């Protein structure tokens, strides 16, 4: 990391990182930013960052089966013969690019404001496939010895089905109030909003597309996009006086 001043008011941080993962290529990521301090109370800043998240052990190797009266479902490790026959390949890590612009301010003493707007593009999002079904899936599971030849089997595995983009922003403010008789108060407000959408779909494995088997359906998409709230609000007050401290907080998820 490097942080330098172009001028007394203009700051330019830089950063870089290289990481090598077993059985994967070495990945380099970095960041470049700028910050301009108009005075001691107002400043604007902007950043461009790249990031990388490798696959987890669970996404590559986790296996389970659930047995029901008339069928069995499986989550298959991606390197298993059955998963390979159903189109599984080598999982990629998630690579991201993010752009942000923000404001830092202290309009009056003891009152602080921070705001950010951002966009994050993530390539090769990690997710489970739709539950794969059909005669071909059952025959693959039977050939692997996971079900009998006359049983029905369903399967899924982790893969990189889509590329996503997230627009969002956050705002935070706090004010500290000191009184001689009533004690000390700290008021805080936080707001966050974001919206994630699919930018594009990666190619469906030919083993599935040639047989008309759904790979990543609308339900799987909604599970990826909508499991986290789109916005959140936090409001809190902390009061201190002598030996006493009281904290009250309200949170809202939308």
């Amino acid at each position: 990391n490097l942080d330098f001043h172009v001028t007394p008011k203009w700051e330019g941080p830089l950063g870089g990182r290289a990481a090598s993962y077993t059985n994967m290529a070495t990945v380099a990521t970095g960041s470049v930013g700028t910050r301009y301090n108009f005075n001691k109370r107002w400043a604007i800043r902007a950043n461009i960052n790249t990031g990388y998240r490798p696959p987890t052990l669970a996404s590559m190797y986790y296996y389970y089966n659930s047995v029901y009266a008339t069928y069995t479902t499986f989550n298959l490790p991606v390197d298993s013969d059955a998963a390979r026959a159903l189109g599984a390949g080598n999982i990629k890590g998630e690579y991201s690019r993010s752009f942000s612009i923000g404001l830092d301010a202290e309009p009056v003493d003891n009152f602080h404001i921070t705001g950010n707007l951002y966009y994050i593009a993530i390539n090769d999002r990690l997710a489970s496939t739709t539950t794969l079904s059909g005669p071909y899936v059952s025959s693959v599971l039977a050939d692997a010895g996971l079900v009998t030849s006359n049983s029905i089997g369903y399967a899924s595995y982790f893969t990189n089905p889509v590329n996503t983009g997230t627009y969002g922003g956050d705002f935070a403010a706090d004010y500290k109030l000191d009184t001689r008789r009533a004690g000390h108060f700290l008021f805080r407000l936080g707001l966050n909003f974001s919206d994630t959408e699919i930018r594009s779909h990666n190619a469906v494995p030919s083993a599935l597309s040639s047989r008309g088997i759904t790979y990543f359906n609308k339900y799987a998409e909604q599970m990826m996009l909508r499991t986290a709230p789109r916005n959140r609000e936090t409001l809190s007050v902390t009061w201190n006086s002598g030996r006493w401290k009281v904290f009250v907080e309200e949170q809202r998820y939308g």
Side-chain angles (χ1 to χ4, degrees):
N1 293 291
L2 174 66
D3 197 331
F4 60 93
H5 283 82
V6 181
T7 69
K9 293 185 177 182
W10 185 13
E11 185 179 357
L14 297 171
R17 175 184 175 89
S20 181
Y21 299 89
T22 302
N23 301 325
M24 303 183 72
T26 299
V27 179
T29 57
S31 64
V32 58
T34 184
R35 177 186 175 95
Y36 189 82
N37 301 288
F38 295 99
N39 50 51
K40 67 177 183 179
R41 293 191 181 275
W42 295 89
I44 59 172
R45 50 187 164 70
N47 287 86
I48 300 174
N49 302 276
T50 59
Y52 179 77
R53 186 170 75 108
T56 64
L57 291 174
S59 63
M60 292 188 292
Y61 303 118
Y62 182 62
Y63 166 84
Y64 79 86
N65 69 316
S66 299
V67 181
Y68 299 91
T70 58
Y71 63 93
T72 306
T73 62
F74 297 87
N75 186 91
L76 302 172
V78 294
D79 62 350
S80 64
D81 292 339
R84 297 290 185 182
L86 294 173
N90 295 327
I91 291 184
K92 300 177 182 178
E94 295 179 338
Y95 190 83
S96 66
R97 303 181 308 279
S98 63
F99 308 86
S100 65
I101 184 170
L103 168 73
D104 293 327
E106 187 181 5
V108 296
D109 291 343
N110 299 322
F111 180 43
H112 304 94
I113 296 174
T114 300
N116 300 282
L117 294 174
Y118 58 84
Y119 172 71
I120 305 171
I122 303 179
N123 290 343
D124 300 317
R125 286 289 299 265
L126 284 164
S128 175
T129 66
T130 298
T131 300
L132 309 175
S133 62
Y136 176 71
V137 177
S138 294
S139 67
V140 168
L141 297 176
D143 292 342
L146 299 175
V147 297
T148 60
S149 58
N150 59 350
S151 298
I152 298 175
Y154 302 95
S156 62
Y157 55 82
F158 279 87
T159 184
N160 305 99
V162 295
N163 308 305
T164 63
T166 300
Y167 295 89
D170 58 71
F171 174 83
D174 64 78
Y175 180 66
K176 184 178 180 181
L177 175 64
D178 297 317
T179 66
R180 296 182 60 183
R181 295 185 177 182
H184 310 281
F185 296 85
L186 178 60
F187 303 92
R188 285 180 173 169
L189 170 66
L191 302 172
N192 179 278
F193 63 92
S194 64
D195 184 34
T196 300
E197 301 297 339
I198 293 176
R199 292 164 35 231
S200 60
H201 291 75
N202 292 329
V204 178
S206 59
L208 301 180
S209 61
S210 62
R211 295 173 173 87
I213 299 175
T214 302
Y215 176 61
F216 197 68
N217 63 12
K218 290 296 182 181
Y219 176 78
E221 291 180 5
Q222 293 304 306
M223 287 295 293
M224 170 184 286
L225 300 177
R226 305 293 175 241
T227 51
R230 288 190 179 185
N231 55 74
R232 190 179 79 171
E233 161 206 314
T234 303
L235 180 65
S236 69
V237 180
T238 304
W239 170 69
N240 284 281
S241 181
R243 297 176 180 269
W244 293 90
K245 179 178 180 179
V246 177
F247 172 76
V248 178
E249 181 180 72
E250 176 264 350
Q251 291 191 10
R252 174 188 176 274
Y253 295 86

